[in-house]
Amino acid sequence: MAKSRKQLDLLNGSLWDKMIVFAVPLALTGVLQQLFNAADVATLGHFVSRDAMAAVGNNVPVIGLIVSLCMGLALGANVIVARYIGMREEALVGKAVHTAFALAVIFGVVIAVFGELCSGLITELLEVPESVAGHAETYLRVYLLGMPFIAIYNFLAAVMRSRGDTKTPLYALVAATIFNIAGNLFFVLVLGMEAGGVALATALANGLAAAILFVNLLKSDSMLRLEVKKLTQIDPAILRTMVRIGWPAGLQGMVFSLSNLVIQNAINSLGPDAMAGSVAGFTIEINVYCFINAFGLAATTFVSQNYGAGNLERCRRATWVSAGINFVATLVLVAFVWYFAHDLLGLFSDTEEVIALGVTRIMYVVLPEPVNVIMETVSDAMRGYGYSLPPAIITLISICSIRVVWVMTMFAATPTYETLMMVYPISWITTTVFLCILYWRHQKSLEKKMAEKMERRAAAEKAMAEGAAEA
């Protein structure tokens, strides 16, 4: 079978150029996913009200919590499929692809039902101001109806990524983004649906993106091909491994979202201006993170394939090449965002108080983002080896505890927006130190296992040679 032009050879040749080809479309995919949120914020901010705009920001941590778990499980699929590709086990690749699709459908349906039952309770627990609460509940309820589409898109994108194809998911999301922007304007300006309208447009757009990837894999002639008769087939052993690797990755992402829920609750206590300024700043900063995350996922995929092929040295080189390119790209993006901060925030609001608070968030959260590069790279590289739970535990203990304690002590003593934003860089720096120590210990452990494996192989070869000589 001829090699697809969309497939990158991750096992041989230079790394830096393939890393860029792999990561840039992935980063742009992340940016387009965030554009969904940005389009919602901008539409509601300019054509509805400040309260409706704040409702989207209120739901960001909640949605982030759920999507983080989804993407973590999808990452488990990415690691397993990439490993089987590296091992050249085509039958296992097929089983893993169909197991991933079935898991996506189950996860999406469960979360959609959960959203319908619990959206009102979540809004109450977050103590959303009365003027915002109605918009917030409606947005969350409608958004989560589209969760099956979000799950299918992310799982199938992860499957494609495992073979080096990051362009097809990007093209699907381009079409979905255009649909989402047009849908926002239609539902709000023509039908007057406000927050529920932009959430519905987002859900339908996610459905379009999922459908494009689904049809693409149905028609594919590669080992990643989906077959209709196998769509409900789940391999229990592969599912267990996929979840074992994926759920800690999802947990790590959820930790950030859980801690952000605590911070969001504190932001809500500062009023609608703080809520609106925070969501505007977040909408910009998350796009910088998309590039950090893309190169981190590149490290996961490159490491996973090469680990499956038994090339530990190339795994390490892939990790540090990813970190180096990521660091340079992040510095450039941070400089750009800081220089144009006021203009960028003006896209979401024309209120100076809101813009000023957004600038404050950028100063405390975007400027320290290079620290995130190291944290993401070492964590994602360890996932590529299948070593997923310990990094999640460290993140859980460090990030969550620092942010919760900070809100309960420092912010309680000085309840200002600046005091609240300071917790982000402090928690990142602490977590990065612990993760680097864990990565070093993990590499030492791998070296020991590799040495023991080579000793066993040498002993077996020696015994065979001695047996042949006696014969």
Side-chain angles (χ1 to χ4, degrees):
M1 184 181 299
K3 185 181 290 186
S4 170
R5 288 180 298 172
K6 296 176 182 177
Q7 179 186 355
L8 289 174
D9 183 0
L10 310 187
L11 302 175
N12 304 286
S14 61
L15 285 167
W16 69 270
D17 52 343
K18 293 174 184 176
M19 195 77 68
I20 293 173
V21 170
F22 181 98
V24 170
L26 187 58
L28 295 176
T29 300
V31 170
L32 286 177
Q33 285 177 320
Q34 300 309 319
L35 187 57
F36 276 44
N37 181 67
D40 292 353
V41 171
T43 301
L44 294 175
H46 285 288
F47 301 115
V48 182
S49 68
R50 180 190 63 184
D51 290 338
M53 175 185 170
V56 179
N58 178 81
N59 284 316
V60 164
V62 180
I63 292 170
L65 185 72
I66 296 169
V67 172
S68 291
L69 179 57
C70 175
M71 295 185 72
L73 292 173
L75 184 63
N78 175 210
V79 171
I80 294 302
V81 175
R83 183 178 298 174
Y84 289 152
I85 291 173
M87 296 167 62
R88 295 178 171 81
E89 293 284 356
E90 188 166 341
L92 290 176
V93 171
K95 290 181 180 180
V97 170
H98 288 89
T99 298
F101 178 80
L103 179 58
V105 173
I106 293 169
F107 178 87
V109 171
V110 168
I111 295 301
V113 173
F114 168 82
E116 292 310 295
L117 295 176
C118 301
S119 293
L121 176 62
I122 291 171
T123 303
E124 290 179 12
L125 291 175
L126 287 174
E127 300 178 1
V128 181
E130 186 176 348
S131 61
V132 180
H135 293 294
E137 181 180 345
T138 300
Y139 183 89
L140 183 62
R141 190 180 301 278
V142 177
Y143 185 97
L144 292 182
L145 275 176
M147 198 63 214
F149 301 138
I150 295 173
I152 291 171
Y153 172 83
N154 280 291
F155 272 78
L156 295 187
V159 165
M160 292 179 169
R161 188 168 69 239
S162 66
R163 203 180 181 196
D165 179 12
T166 55
K167 293 181 180 179
T168 302
L170 173 61
Y171 299 151
L173 211 59
V174 168
T177 300
I178 295 171
F179 180 94
N180 182 54
I181 294 172
N184 279 348
L185 296 176
F186 175 77
F187 287 127
V188 171
L189 297 182
V190 178
L191 300 184
M193 293 179 65
E194 299 186 343
V198 297
L200 179 59
T202 299
L204 294 175
N206 281 316
L208 174 61
I212 291 172
L213 296 193
F214 179 71
V215 172
N216 182 277
L217 288 181
L218 282 178
K219 295 181 177 180
S220 173
D221 60 356
S222 73
M223 65 177 71
L224 302 181
R225 183 172 182 265
L226 281 172
E227 298 179 43
V228 174
K229 62 182 180 181
K230 296 181 180 179
L231 290 180
T232 58
Q233 293 184 7
I234 298 177
D235 185 293
I238 291 176
L239 177 63
R240 285 193 296 271
T241 307
M242 198 174 286
V243 173
R244 178 179 61 80
I245 295 173
W247 82 262
L251 176 63
Q252 183 168 324
M254 289 175 69
V255 167
F256 284 94
S257 296
L258 279 170
S259 61
N260 287 341
L261 278 173
V262 175
I263 295 174
Q264 183 63 48
N265 195 45
I267 291 172
N268 291 350
S269 70
L270 298 175
D273 279 348
M275 294 172 68
S278 182
V279 70
F282 174 83
T283 303
I284 294 170
E285 80 195 36
I286 195 64
N287 288 288
V288 176
Y289 175 74
C290 285
F291 283 84
I292 297 173
N293 183 55
F295 282 100
L297 291 176
T300 299
T301 304
F302 276 68
V303 167
S304 185
Q305 269 207 29
N306 283 280
Y307 188 57
N311 192 342
L312 184 58
E313 177 58 31
R314 188 172 174 86
C315 291
R316 289 172 173 166
R317 285 196 289 117
T319 300
W320 299 117
V321 169
S322 169
I325 300 173
N326 200 352
F327 197 81
V328 173
T330 301
L331 286 177
V332 172
L333 287 171
V334 166
F336 175 84
V337 168
W338 180 244
Y339 186 80
F340 293 103
H342 193 279
D343 295 327
L344 292 172
L345 291 164
L347 296 174
F348 304 102
S349 176
D350 53 9
T351 304
E352 279 302 320
E353 291 80 2
V354 171
I355 292 174
L357 289 164
V359 170
T360 299
R361 178 164 184 134
I362 287 174
M363 180 175 68
Y364 282 102
V365 183
V366 176
L367 292 185
E369 284 282 16
V371 177
N372 238 342
V373 171
I374 303 171
M375 184 170 69
E376 288 286 332
T377 302
V378 296
S379 182
D380 287 337
M382 284 187 280
R383 292 194 194 109
Y385 293 106
Y387 189 68
S388 191
L389 183 57
I393 292 174
I394 283 181
T395 305
L396 172 64
I397 295 173
S398 183
I399 291 284
C400 203
S401 62
I402 290 173
R403 293 184 181 179
V404 170
V405 170
W406 185 274
V407 170
M408 295 176 63
T409 56
M410 302 301 292
F411 176 73
T414 311
T416 66
Y417 192 74
E418 290 80 359
T419 301
L420 194 57
M421 292 298 106
M422 287 173 62
V423 73
Y424 284 102
I426 291 171
S427 60
W428 288 344
I429 292 169
T430 306
T431 305
T432 297
V433 171
F434 287 126
L435 285 174
C436 285
I437 294 172
L438 180 67
Y439 178 80
W440 179 80
R441 290 173 61 89
H442 177 248
Q443 289 298 303
K444 290 296 181 183
S445 175
L446 284 178
E447 288 177 359
K448 183 178 179 180
K449 290 178 181 178
M450 187 67 70
E452 291 173 350
K453 183 177 180 180
M454 293 179 66
E455 287 177 4
R456 289 194 299 267
R457 181 182 299 176
E461 291 175 351
K462 182 180 179 180
M464 291 177 62
E466 290 175 350
E470 291 176 0

